[in-house]
Amino acid sequence: SQQGEEDPQALSIQEGENATMNCSYKTSINNLQWYRQNSGRGLVHLILIRSNEREKHSGRLRVTLDTSKKSSSLLITASRAADTASYFCATGNTGNQFYFGTGTSLTVIP
Amino acid sequence: EPEVTQTPSHQVTQMGQEVILRCVPISNHLYFYWYRQILGQKVEFLVSFYNNEISEKSEIFDDQFSVERPDGSNFTLKIRSTKLEDSAMYFCASSEVVSGEQFFGPGTRLTVL
């Protein structure tokens, strides 16, 4: 299976702290995407990183990709209570299928 | 900002009935997808669609399911003879290019009684 697996499953931090979530996968990928999902809501696209990229930034988000270790990390800096959500990585091959992991549930305490 | 829309937001049906879930992808996107998320579980890929035909499908997407783009804007998922285990959140997504960023709709919660 190519599915990404996030780690940790749950993370609780104080507002203002940084949050780091990791994703590991098993097979070669073309790209990897991170999504956020608030409880009972849809998926919000955060960042796409391609297999030939090592790092991408978007606002307070920083994503790294290490294809040799088949892993990616999502860093949220200066977290806010509104960042409380589940975060998923989704790995894509050369086709159109994306495989989602089980997610990291992030709680940011005000 | 353009977004993917889905209707209805919640669909309740009796076991054995047919349901059609509707999606309007982002207008300049060419690739369309359906995903399913059973409560408490991971998001699962069902099918991708391009140029009026299925490009990829998962093992979940069996003969019970079908997709269609009946006109220039809608993209539908039909589930025939629904089962209790079909109860889930169904997400539609679209992307501009293959393997590109996929933008998801808010989902349709399907409850099969």
Side-chain angles (χ1 to χ4, degrees):
Chain A
S1 169
Q2 185 174 296
Q3 291 168 338
E5 295 297 333
E6 293 86 349
D7 156 58
Q9 289 186 330
L11 180 61
S12 183
I13 59 173
Q14 293 290 329
E15 199 166 34
E17 293 180 341
N18 296 340
T20 299
M21 288 158 271
N22 302 296
C23 169
S24 60
Y25 55 92
K26 296 178 181 176
T27 63
S28 297
I29 62 169
N30 188 45
N31 60 61
L32 185 147
Q33 304 188 55
W34 283 92
Y35 288 85
R36 184 185 73 225
Q37 185 180 36
N38 291 85
S39 181
R41 306 289 295 275
L43 293 151
V44 175
H45 183 269
L46 298 176
I47 287 185
L48 179 149
I49 187 165
R50 300 200 182 279
S51 59
N52 61 353
E53 297 175 310
R54 291 296 167 260
E55 188 172 310
K56 282 189 86 168
H57 298 255
S58 177
R60 293 183 296 112
L61 307 180
R62 173 177 169 253
V63 168
T64 62
L65 179 64
D66 187 335
T67 52
S68 66
K69 295 181 179 177
K70 292 187 169 55
S71 67
S72 173
S73 68
L74 170 66
L75 168 67
I76 304 174
T77 60
S79 62
R80 306 167 181 168
D83 294 329
T84 294
S86 291
Y87 291 82
F88 297 88
C89 69
T91 54
N93 53 21
T94 53
N96 287 318
Q97 289 202 38
F98 278 89
Y99 299 90
F100 282 79
T102 50
T104 291
S105 176
L106 174 67
T107 302
V108 181
I109 303 166
Chain B
E1 187 173 332
E3 57 183 16
V4 176
T5 59
Q6 290 185 242
T7 54
S9 57
H10 191 188
Q11 174 88 51
V12 181
T13 190
Q14 294 290 326
M15 192 169 57
Q17 296 296 305
E18 175 181 287
V19 295
I20 297 176
L21 310 183
R22 291 182 167 79
C23 169
V24 179
I26 294 173
S27 61
N28 65 329
H29 286 187
L30 301 176
Y31 298 84
F32 315 120
Y33 315 85
W34 283 101
Y35 290 83
R36 178 181 80 178
Q37 186 179 31
I38 295 171
L39 186 64
Q41 299 186 24
K42 62 178 66 176
V43 175
E44 299 173 293
F45 171 82
L46 293 178
V47 66
S48 61
F49 191 87
Y50 169 72
N51 200 27
N52 282 321
E53 60 183 28
I54 291 172
S55 48
E56 290 184 70
K57 60 181 181 179
S58 71
E59 292 177 352
I60 302 169
F61 193 88
D62 58 20
D63 293 342
Q64 187 192 4
F65 295 88
S66 62
V67 290
E68 191 180 27
R69 187 154 165 83
D71 53 44
S73 60
N74 290 284
F75 179 51
T76 62
L77 174 69
K78 182 187 291 185
I79 309 175
R80 288 179 282 274
S81 189
T82 51
K83 300 173 281 192
L84 296 177
E85 53 265 39
D86 294 327
S87 293
M89 197 77 163
Y90 288 82
F91 293 105
C92 172
S94 69
S95 65
E96 193 172 357
V97 296
V98 65
S99 298
E101 298 165 338
Q102 294 190 15
F103 294 89
F104 282 71
T108 292
R109 181 170 298 283
L110 176 65
T111 301
V112 182
L113 303 176

